[in-house]
C-alpha cells in the first residue's frame, strides 16, 4: 500500500484538503464541465483532480476552466 502523504506530495496535492477525483475520458458521460463548475462552488476547502484520459479536446476545455478559477476559491482544480 502506498503512503497517502507521499503520493499527495508527489502529485502536488495539499495534504490538508479533501481530494475529489473526476474521471470522464471518452465515455460520453455528458457535460463534465457542469460537474466541475458545481464542485468549484464548494464551501469546504477541497482539491479536484480531473482526468480526461486520451480525450485531448476535453483536456483543453478542462485546462481553460482551471485557468478561470478565482484566486479566492476554496477549491483547487488540477
Amino acid at each position: 500500500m502506498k503512503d497517502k502523504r507521499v503520493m499527495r506530495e508527489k502529485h502536488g496535492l495539499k495534504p490538508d484538503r479533501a481530494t475529489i477525483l473526476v474521471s470522464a475520458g471518452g465515455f460520453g458521460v455528458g457535460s463534465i464541465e457542469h460537474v466541475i463548475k458545481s464542485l468549484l462552488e464548494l464551501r469546504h476547502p477541497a482539491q479536484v483532480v480531473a482526468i480526461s484520459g486520451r480525450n485531448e479536446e476535453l483536456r483543453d476545455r478542462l485546462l481553460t476552466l482551471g485557468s478561470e478559477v478565482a484566486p479566492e476559491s476554496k477549491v483547487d482544480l488540477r
Side-chain angles (χ1 to χ4, degrees):
M1 178 180 252
K2 296 188 180 194
D3 183 293
K4 181 166 77 171
R5 182 186 51 78
V6 171
M7 296 295 9
R8 283 179 182 236
E9 186 176 303
K10 175 181 177 183
H11 295 288
L13 298 172
K14 296 176 181 174
D16 59 341
R17 288 195 176 205
T19 303
I20 302 165
L21 176 64
V22 178
S23 177
F27 293 108
V29 295
S31 176
I32 194 65
E33 290 95 332
H34 180 71
V35 172
I36 299 295
K37 286 179 183 178
S38 294
L39 290 170
L40 291 174
E41 294 176 11
L42 289 171
R43 294 182 190 144
H44 179 76
Q47 49 201 353
V48 176
V49 178
I51 299 174
S52 63
R54 294 183 185 146
N55 188 333
E56 293 290 327
E57 182 182 328
L58 176 58
R59 178 183 175 275
D60 291 344
R61 292 194 320 259
L62 291 171
L63 286 171
T64 298
L65 187 58
S67 70
E68 297 169 354
V69 175
E72 65 275 3
S73 175
K74 291 188 179 229
V75 180
D76 296 327
L77 176 60
R78 297 186 157 269

